[in-house]
Amino acid sequence: MNPSGSGSRLVVSSFCRGRCLAALALLLAPLACQAATLPSSITGTYTCTQAGSPYDMMSNVQVEATGTLVMQAGASVIVRGNYQLTVVGSMQVNGTSGNRAFIGYQVDPQPGAWSGVYFASGSTGTISGCEFASGRMTVVVDDATASFTDCIFRDSSFDGLVAFRDANLTVEDCTFSHNDRHGLYIETPDPGGSVSDSHFEHSGEYPIRVKANCVDMLYRGLTFSNNAVDRIGVCCSAATDISAGTEIWRGQPLPYDLTVGSSDELRIAAGAVLRLQPGAKLLLGDRIDVYGKLNIGTIGRSDVELTSAQVSPAPGDWAGIVLHPGAGTRTRQCIIRYAENGIVADGANVFLEECEFRNIEYDGVYAFSSLKLTVENSLFHTIGRWGLRLTGAGLTGQVASTRFENCGDYPIFLLARYV
């Protein structure tokens, strides 16, 4: 008998097996640490997990019409070049404030290092708890529907979040930080959605820039700090700005600057209504041209202020409010400063209560043609010519409990029939 026979073979076999397993482990170790690569085309559901992160983006990636990109809490996508993530289908991010998902460049921060996330026409996005960093326009929503909750948009070389064409955009509890131009830029002809409870800081220009018909999307709870321009930029066009329905401009911590678009004139179409809520402040460079309705303020609340956009304002800096035949305004607790004429009304209905006209170049209110004019408990102070100028035929209404101070000519100029 050879007692060492089979026993020795067993020892050798175990030793070899151990060496082989060790070698296999060494071979597999780099593969376990190596990041997964995001496919260039996603046609089904592709899920990025925290355990599998980071996911390298080594090329342009497109989520096809049949595809869905899902990012779980804590998942990260690291962009390794000047690439773009295009969503034609849908994207869903399920991060939290304590465990956000992340999409950004390999060297962070490096503004403009990659092309960002682009939601194409007809696509959808439901994004919660995600941090987007270092893109050019880091996220663009173009004729798509997307909602962003508790997200961070930072270190873009242009804008943090952009909405174009018929985009439907909802932004809530988000932070926009260190974007070289605007934190948020909205320019859509048919806006939908809302922006609320979000913070904007360290923007290179306006923290928010919106087309005039999109201001209605800006709700309460917006805060601002350390931005290059402490104003909300509002783009007026050469055509009608408020074309239909009722638009509401809410009071914000920053004033609305209406001098940043292709025109400084705000035009309200016949049949349309613009409501300026208490606390709203408008910085103007031209006229507010009203063919529909302009309703301003509420008694017992904060004043609405319409004034010059100039840093060092002077009377005549902007043209004032012009009300065309059939138009009307119901204005309470409003201060109008530095206009050529505060209000010019031609065949329009005007109701003013607890209003102030200050530092006006010519007339506080110039009313002519057939209309109804009511002025109550108001103040005309430092008016270049007449506080009230009432001419033409068919005027009705009353002026009561109103003071006129420092008028350059008669405080009231009117035809004898209106005394």
Side-chain angles (χ1 to χ4, degrees):
M1 297 204 35
N2 184 358
S4 64
S6 62
S8 63
R9 286 196 298 272
L10 179 61
V11 170
V12 172
S13 177
S14 299
F15 176 76
C16 291
R17 187 182 299 112
R19 290 289 299 271
C20 290
L21 289 174
L24 182 61
L26 289 172
L27 290 172
L28 292 178
L31 298 177
C33 297
Q34 184 177 358
T37 298
L38 210 62
S40 60
S41 177
I42 297 174
T43 55
T45 298
Y46 188 94
T47 301
C48 298
T49 67
Q50 182 171 1
S53 293
Y55 292 79
D56 282 344
M57 186 166 149
M58 306 294 292
S59 65
N60 291 323
V61 172
Q62 180 159 308
V63 182
E64 309 292 351
T66 58
T68 300
L69 175 61
V70 178
M71 294 185 68
Q72 295 180 353
S76 62
V77 172
I78 305 301
V79 185
R80 302 293 182 182
N82 182 19
Y83 305 126
Q84 178 172 288
L85 171 59
T86 301
V87 181
V88 179
S90 63
M91 181 175 177
Q92 179 180 332
V93 181
N94 302 315
T96 66
S97 57
N99 193 21
R100 284 192 174 88
F102 174 82
I103 306 177
Y105 193 62
Q106 59 187 349
V107 179
D108 183 41
Q110 189 170 329
W114 66 294
S115 297
V117 179
Y118 177 76
F119 287 91
S121 178
S123 66
T124 60
T126 305
I127 316 297
S128 296
C130 188
E131 184 172 355
F132 300 91
S134 297
R136 283 203 294 273
M137 292 184 178
T138 303
V139 178
V140 175
V141 180
D142 183 3
D143 194 27
T145 298
S147 64
F148 299 88
T149 304
D150 195 15
C151 293
I152 297 173
F153 304 84
R154 63 171 177 83
D155 295 298
S156 69
S157 60
F158 286 95
D159 308 321
L161 175 59
V162 180
F164 287 138
R165 293 198 293 168
D166 290 337
N168 190 302
L169 178 70
T170 301
V171 177
E172 184 178 3
D173 290 319
C174 291
T175 298
F176 298 79
S177 181
H178 291 89
N179 296 293
D180 285 355
R181 192 168 67 170
H182 313 303
L184 175 64
Y185 182 16
I186 305 175
E187 187 162 345
T188 168
D190 187 18
S194 63
V195 181
S196 63
D197 300 306
S198 295
H199 182 67
F200 299 80
E201 62 184 21
H202 299 285
S203 303
E205 296 182 22
Y206 295 93
I208 300 176
R209 176 171 172 163
V210 293
K211 195 174 179 182
N213 66 312
C214 301
V215 176
D216 183 77
M217 294 175 64
L218 304 181
Y219 278 69
R220 302 292 184 180
L222 304 183
T223 58
F224 306 86
S225 64
N226 301 304
N227 296 290
V229 182
D230 283 330
R231 301 176 176 186
I232 295 171
V234 177
C235 303
C236 298
S237 66
T240 298
D241 298 294
I242 311 299
S243 58
T246 298
E247 300 281 335
I248 298 173
W249 292 15
R250 298 163 183 87
Q252 300 291 351
L254 297 183
Y256 298 110
D257 183 349
L258 277 68
T259 66
V260 302
S262 58
S263 171
D264 293 348
E265 177 182 305
L266 177 67
R267 180 172 297 183
I268 304 167
V273 178
L274 175 60
R275 290 174 53 194
L276 303 181
Q277 289 197 336
K281 182 177 181 179
L282 274 59
L283 306 179
L284 297 138
D286 202 337
R287 73 185 72 234
I288 299 178
D289 220 11
V290 184
Y291 293 86
K293 305 294 181 186
L294 175 63
N295 295 331
I296 302 176
T298 302
I299 293 298
R301 303 282 297 278
S302 302
D303 291 333
V304 173
E305 185 174 355
L306 311 181
T307 189
S308 166
Q310 299 298 317
V311 176
S312 300
D317 277 350
W318 63 289
I321 299 172
V322 178
L323 297 159
H324 295 273
T329 184
R330 190 171 186 85
T331 299
R332 295 182 167 101
Q333 276 193 227
C334 179
I335 303 172
I336 298 177
R337 303 177 188 268
Y338 300 111
E340 290 180 4
N341 297 287
I343 295 176
V344 175
D346 175 10
N349 292 320
V350 180
F351 178 89
L352 306 173
E353 184 178 6
E354 293 192 20
C355 294
E356 297 182 16
F357 296 81
R358 293 178 174 271
N359 305 103
I360 304 299
E361 184 175 20
Y362 297 118
D363 305 329
V365 174
Y366 175 25
F368 60 96
S369 189
S370 177
L371 58 79
K372 182 175 182 179
L373 172 69
T374 301
V375 182
E376 297 178 354
N377 300 306
S378 294
L379 170 66
F380 294 79
H381 182 81
T382 312
I383 310 298
R385 191 165 55 185
W386 299 303
L388 275 178
R389 181 183 178 189
L390 309 179
T391 63
L395 287 173
T396 61
Q398 66 174 8
V399 179
S401 304
T402 294
R403 301 198 315 276
F404 298 84
E405 302 173 354
N406 299 327
C407 294
D409 208 316
Y410 296 105
I412 302 176
F413 177 89
L414 73 169
L415 298 180
R417 71 183 73 165
Y418 300 132
V419 174

